[in-house]
Amino acid sequence: GASCPTSDSDTTEMLGFKSIDKVTPGEVSDRFFMGQLTLVDVRSDEEFEEVRVPGVLHIPVTEIKGRLAEIPAGHPVAFLCRSGHRSSLAARMAARHRDDVMNVDGGMDAWLRAGLPSATCPVSHERSSNTPPMAPALAGRLNRQSEKE
């Protein structure tokens, strides 16, 4: 559209972080569990395996650029990492494509300190038969992980 000329895309990239709201884990938690917000965890597979927010969308920050399309557009999106640094990078990337982007201030550390819901059970679902089969790509990623044990 005419409203965003390509000539100054460098400037908007540099200034892009201005438009990303920092939100506290408490604010995000309320909205996320009420279904008003998409929460994306951008930590590594290992960190995600250790502890995570139940029902969160997991896209490691190294993959976020190619997987932005997986983030639903119907709700605002908040990015979460361990401390807030990687999630701010992910939020910045997403903010180039949408304007309803937030970064969870303090990350998973602050989330846990606030006593908000978290899950620590193993992510691999191979052993329980009542869960639907996962997408092969995801199962492959998890298998890679369990080989290390």
Side-chain angles (χ1 to χ4, degrees):
S3 56
C4 53
T6 45
S7 56
D8 58 84
S9 62
D10 294 346
T11 333
T12 43
E13 258 179 44
M14 282 166 59
L15 304 175
F17 60 86
K18 271 202 324 209
S19 61
I20 294 162
D21 290 329
K22 273 189 174 175
V23 283
T24 66
E27 292 173 80
V28 168
S29 172
D30 287 350
R31 295 176 66 185
F32 173 62
F33 291 113
M34 290 194 304
Q36 298 172 351
L37 176 135
T38 300
L39 185 58
V40 181
D41 188 330
V42 300
R43 296 173 305 148
S44 68
D45 290 338
E46 288 80 6
E47 291 170 285
F48 187 74
E49 184 87 29
E50 228 166 82
V51 61
R52 63 204 163 277
V53 178
V56 72
L57 184 61
H58 179 224
I59 306 178
V61 71
T62 49
E63 298 171 24
I64 205 98
K65 210 169 188 169
R67 296 177 61 187
L68 284 169
E70 291 175 37
I71 303 169
H75 294 300
V77 58
F79 289 92
L80 175 76
C81 68
R82 190 179 59 79
S83 64
H85 176 67
R86 282 170 293 175
S87 54
S88 72
L89 300 176
R92 230 170 276 186
M93 274 185 252
R96 292 176 194 167
H97 305 276
R98 52 194 296 168
D99 53 13
D100 52 355
V101 175
M102 290 168 279
N103 183 27
V104 181
D105 202 18
M108 198 71 203
D109 287 349
W111 185 282
L112 295 172
R113 275 199 305 274
L116 297 165
S118 63
T120 52
C121 51
V123 178
S124 326
H125 304 296
E126 279 95 35
R127 287 166 217 85
S128 57
S129 51
N130 58 352
T131 49
M134 285 182 292
L138 186 61
R141 273 235 309 281
L142 295 174
N143 288 341
R144 270 219 318 276
Q145 215 111 56
S146 48
E147 279 163 20
K148 284 190 294 209
E149 291 165 9

